[in-house]
Each structure stands twice: as structure tokens, then as C-alpha cells.
Amino acid sequence: MAWGNNENKLKACQSCRALIPANAAECESCGAAGHHVAEAGSLSDPLELLGAWPVTMILMMVNVVVYAWVLIYQMQFPGEGGAGNGFAFEPIRFPDVLGAFGSVSAPEVRGAGEWWRVLAYAFLHGGVLHLGMNMYGLWQAGRMAEELLGRTQYLVLYVLSGIGGGLVIIAGNTSAVGASGSLFGVIAGLWAHSYRRDSVLGKGFQQYMMMWLLYGVAMSFSPRVSWQGHLGGALVGAALAFFVLPAEDLFRQSMRRVRITQAIAALCLLAVVVTFGFMARNLGRVRESFAVVEVSRTLLNLTDNLRERDRLQLMAAMTHKDSILRADEVKGFNENFTAAFGDAPDKITEAKINQTLVTAHAAVCADIGTLERMQVLDAEIGQIQERMRTALQAGCAKAAINLSDLKKSDALRSSADKASYDAAFADYWQWVEKRAVLSNQRVDEILPKQWVEFVRSYLKRNNPPSDKTEPTPVR
């Protein structure tokens, strides 16, 4: 593969690796037409489907396009750390967008049987710097590999090295994304290729590749870098160059090996296409889960505000003092009282308690607008959201409870509005459980564990009534 102007230059035949004029229509050594066919009647080069574009450029473009796809896809889902419905240069961690696209890990592959991930991860990256470093390495090493080995052998080396890195990641019970497994395979393959060439040029190239490998080994000890992927890719790349991909002299002598390599390249190309098919299918499946996460995030936030308001009211109701209130004089109370209503016992006043209660009540009432703007996924959750909104509106039509109100009744005012909200919240959770069953998932596979624990604790403590006779089972 010649880069740049082809006039008066030589290039290696893609079939037999003989040096021929760059603009030759047929190889004088093996008779390959257009340098992609070994001879009449033989297996066609599968990379003809890619046109005249260098494979390195195609691989780089695919990686960049997939990264842009991830960023665009995540804009419709809120994420921890700030992606929320806006543009971000980094893939968000939760909802796990990279997991949806195909990050490799033992539970998804060995547990769920999603083996397509052992190649999909090699086209994903965790950030702009991660993508940039791998693409720079691919630009440097990939061009050399494509020139020395040819498009067919180079594609085989890249794809199988990526799969090898993914398998070692699984064996190590870790998770990862990135093209570095494939990149290490290419570098190790170039080193092995040069090692087999007993010449001054081969030895010089071997030393150059060894520098790249040592740099990669040093990078493997950096935080959040998967050395397992690097190791797996390098081992597969070196093994292919030593034992499978023939040296130039052997290649000329055996057109059978040409055909075998072309067949393997066709399978590698098919594996990439199938992998992206599974990736698109998985994105459709998890889109439902992401939508449930978005609804749950909003409902849990406003429920937490409601719980905090009730907690503060209960704490305030435990005192009957008219003057300055001291935490150590409140019977049966603990240090949480001080944390809620003041910095020190002698700073806890009735005005301070009332102000805290008003602020908590206002936070709950502000959630009414959030409910009105929420996405409605289906009729059932739409009705639940409306019941919650109605309950909050009824409660917010009343003024915030103050300490005087609590002293008069010696207890919290009975709130039918709160009971209505809790009943709607219980129905929301049954809706989540049904969605999990329909998508063949567990609830804790859709929502973070701490969210699930919060809901179950809240429902157990409040024990709200519900119209449902039996909860939907969760596997």
C-alpha cells in the first residue's frame, strides 16, 4: 500500500508481497489483478469492499465516529457528573452508556453470554485523551503495518488482537474499553515480523518497535489502564506474526496461504459487521432501561425531599421549649438535631427551626414543576405522576408547618396528601418491577443498588396503601 504520490514508486503486491510499480494493473510475480486477487478463479480479496481507502484511515474514522455516536446518544439521558440532556466531551458513567455500546467485562460476557463485547470494546473510548492517544499510536504503527504486511494481513492482525485483548480482560475479571489491545497487537506483530527478517533493516525496525512496546508497558501501570487488554493484544499479535502470517519469502511460494489469509480477513470483516449489529440491537434494548432510570432519578429526588421535610418536622415536634432550645435538653434526641437546626446548641432558636421547615417545604413544592415537565413513558406511569403531582399540590396549598403549630397539636398534622403520595410511589415501584421483568433484567441491573435500597427502606417505613393486590415478582 503506497502512501502519497504513486508515480515512479514501488509498492508491495497485496497478495504475494512482491515489489511492483505502484500504478501496475497486474502483479508480474503472482498475476494478481489489481493486487487484490491471487489469480483467475481464486478467492477475491474481501477488502475490495473497502475501496481504495487505506485500512488504517478507515479504522481511525470508525473509532472517531463511534465516539461521536456515544456522545450524541448520551445527550438524551441524564448522567452523574453533569451530562444531563446536554453535550459533554466525555462518556458519562451512569447510566452506563459505554456498557450499552459494548464495554467488555466478565459478567456481561460469561454471565449473560454477550460475546460480541470482546470486539465491540475495541471501538469504544472513555474520553478525548484516551481516543487521541490510541489514534495517534494507530496512525504511527498502523501505516507501517499496512505497508509491510498488506491490507489483508493487517486487518487480521488488528481484529484478532483486539479479540485476544478482550478475552484476557474477561479472564482477569476486569472491564475495559479502548483500541489499545488491537494497537498492541499491531506493534507486537511488527516487532515479530522484523525479528524474522535477519537483515540490518529488520534489526533496526525491531529496535524501533521494541521502544513502542516498552512505552506501552510503562503506560499499562497508569491508573485506569487495562494492562490485561495490552497483554492479550500483544500476545495474539506476536503469535500471528510468528506462526500464522507468513514472511515475504514464504508468501511468494504459497498462494494457498494467500487464500487462507483472505478467508480469515473475510471472517474478521464479518465479525466487525456482526459486532456493530449486536451493538445497535443492545442500544435499542437498553434505551428502555435508560428511560426508566431518568424517570426514577426524578421521582427519587423529589421523594427524598419529601422524606427530608417529614424528618425535620418530626425532629422539631420533639421539643416544647419557648426560648432558646438546647439539643441536650431535648428528651430522646441525638446530635442530628444540632446538625439540622444550628451550628451549636446555643444557636438553635425557634426562628431557626421555622426557617429550616419553610425551606424544606419550599423544596417539596418546587418539585411540582419538575413532575409536570417529566417524560411520560406510558399511560400507567403518566397516571402515577399525575397522582403524585396532585398530592403535592394539595400539600403545598397549605402553609409550611411551624413550631407553634407543632406545639399546639403536640404532633404532626395528619396528612392525607402524604398518604396519597406514598400510595402513588408504591405503584411507581411496581411499575419499575414490571419493566424489569419484561426486559428480562433484575431491578438492580437497571437502577443503582443505593436507589433500590432507598425505595425498599422508604416503602417499609411508610407502608403506603396500594390498589395492587400482589406485587410484580422480581427475579
Side-chain angles (χ1 to χ4, degrees):
M1 175 62 58
W3 293 71
N5 185 9
N6 290 335
E7 187 177 357
N8 299 324
K9 289 187 177 183
L10 298 177
K11 69 176 180 180
C13 172
Q14 297 298 311
S15 294
C16 71
R17 310 307 302 143
L19 293 176
I20 58 176
N23 57 0
E26 182 178 292
C27 177
E28 298 175 356
S29 179
C30 71
H35 323 309
H36 297 296
V37 182
E39 55 188 12
S42 67
L43 179 68
S44 296
D45 186 347
L47 299 194
E48 285 185 334
L49 298 172
L50 304 180
W53 281 80
V55 174
T56 299
M57 291 294 296
I58 294 175
L59 290 172
M60 291 178 65
M61 285 191 296
V62 170
N63 278 278
V64 172
V65 168
V66 170
Y67 187 79
W69 185 12
V70 171
L71 298 186
I72 294 172
Y73 185 84
Q74 74 179 8
M75 289 175 64
Q76 57 191 309
F77 306 113
E80 292 179 356
N85 291 329
F87 181 78
F89 282 101
E90 307 289 325
I92 56 180
R93 296 183 61 84
F94 188 86
D96 189 8
V97 173
L98 290 178
F101 273 81
S103 62
V104 65
S105 65
E108 282 85 2
V109 176
R110 289 203 302 249
E114 297 179 350
W115 288 95
W116 57 274
R117 292 177 179 269
V118 299
L119 180 56
Y121 86 100
F123 295 96
L124 303 171
H125 291 85
V128 176
L129 181 61
H130 187 204
L131 175 68
M133 292 180 65
N134 279 340
M135 292 305 98
Y136 174 76
L138 184 59
W139 173 254
Q140 294 294 323
R143 290 185 302 164
M144 291 184 287
E146 190 168 358
E147 186 72 27
L148 289 171
L149 302 176
R151 303 173 84 199
T152 304
Q153 295 188 78
Y154 170 54
L155 179 67
V156 170
L157 186 64
Y158 185 91
V159 173
L160 294 187
S161 296
I163 293 175
L167 293 176
V168 175
I169 291 170
I170 296 170
N173 286 320
T174 60
S175 60
V177 294
S180 53
S182 295
L183 179 58
F184 265 70
V186 171
I187 295 173
L190 286 173
W191 175 84
H193 176 80
S194 61
Y195 181 84
R196 298 180 65 182
R197 300 180 64 182
D198 189 17
S199 63
V200 175
L201 179 61
K203 290 179 180 179
F205 193 72
Q206 177 186 348
Q207 293 176 354
Y208 180 67
M209 287 296 102
M210 180 58 68
M211 291 177 58
W212 271 90
L213 283 174
L214 292 176
Y215 171 75
V217 170
M219 289 294 296
S220 298
F221 293 97
S222 302
R224 299 178 62 188
V225 173
S226 174
W227 62 266
Q228 294 92 342
H230 293 180
L231 176 63
L235 290 177
V236 171
L240 286 172
F242 268 120
F243 305 113
V244 180
L245 302 179
E248 289 183 17
D249 55 341
L250 296 177
F251 217 109
R252 287 195 194 94
Q253 296 170 13
S254 177
M255 292 311 301
R256 179 184 178 187
R257 304 190 77 156
V258 175
R259 300 186 185 98
I260 292 175
T261 305
Q262 289 177 344
I264 297 174
L267 292 176
C268 289
L269 196 59
L270 178 62
V272 172
V273 174
V274 170
T275 294
F276 277 100
F278 274 106
M279 183 186 294
R281 177 175 176 267
N282 194 61
L283 288 174
R285 183 180 67 86
V286 300
R287 182 184 296 274
E288 172 89 358
S289 299
F290 285 174
V292 173
V293 168
E294 183 174 6
V295 169
S296 296
R297 184 190 302 276
T298 303
L299 295 185
L300 293 182
N301 281 340
L302 63 90
T303 303
D304 191 47
N305 288 338
L306 191 61
R307 184 192 63 166
E308 177 65 10
R309 185 196 69 178
D310 293 346
R311 186 182 75 90
L312 293 172
Q313 290 178 354
L314 181 62
M315 291 169 65
M318 296 179 68
T319 179
H320 300 275
K321 298 292 182 180
D322 294 326
S323 57
I324 293 178
L325 306 168
R326 296 184 58 83
D328 55 359
E329 293 179 355
V330 179
K331 184 178 180 181
F333 223 79
N334 54 35
E335 63 274 8
N336 290 336
F337 189 87
T338 301
F341 297 113
D343 299 326
D346 59 355
K347 293 183 180 179
I348 301 175
T349 64
E350 182 170 339
K352 172 65 176 177
I353 292 178
N354 288 338
Q355 180 59 43
T356 303
L357 294 177
V358 168
T359 301
H361 185 71
V364 171
C365 296
D367 289 329
I368 296 175
T370 303
L371 273 172
E372 292 174 344
R373 295 188 298 271
M374 272 186 63
Q375 179 183 7
V376 178
L377 299 183
D378 59 28
E380 183 179 0
I381 193 62
Q383 293 175 358
I384 292 171
Q385 292 168 203
E386 179 61 25
R387 288 163 56 195
M388 289 181 171
R389 187 183 67 83
T390 301
L392 291 182
Q393 282 182 327
C396 291
K398 310 168 187 176
I401 292 177
N402 57 38
L403 196 57
S404 298
D405 298 326
L406 296 173
K407 291 175 185 177
K408 293 175 184 177
S409 61
D410 198 32
L412 290 175
R413 290 185 298 193
S414 175
S415 176
D417 309 324
K418 176 64 165 52
S420 298
Y421 181 91
D422 288 342
F425 186 79
D427 290 343
Y428 143 74
W429 189 242
Q430 291 191 353
W431 175 82
V432 171
E433 291 176 332
K434 287 191 295 185
R435 286 297 184 106
V437 171
L438 291 175
S439 62
N440 197 31
Q441 293 176 286
R442 299 190 308 271
V443 173
D444 57 8
E445 290 177 328
I446 299 177
L447 303 180
K449 182 179 179 180
Q450 62 269 26
W451 293 15
V452 177
E453 291 175 349
F454 169 81
V455 172
R456 289 173 177 166
S457 174
Y458 184 89
L459 294 177
K460 181 179 179 180
R461 182 172 57 252
N462 291 276
N463 192 25
S466 174
D467 296 333
K468 310 292 183 182
T469 57
E470 289 186 11
T472 304
V474 180
R475 64 177 182 85

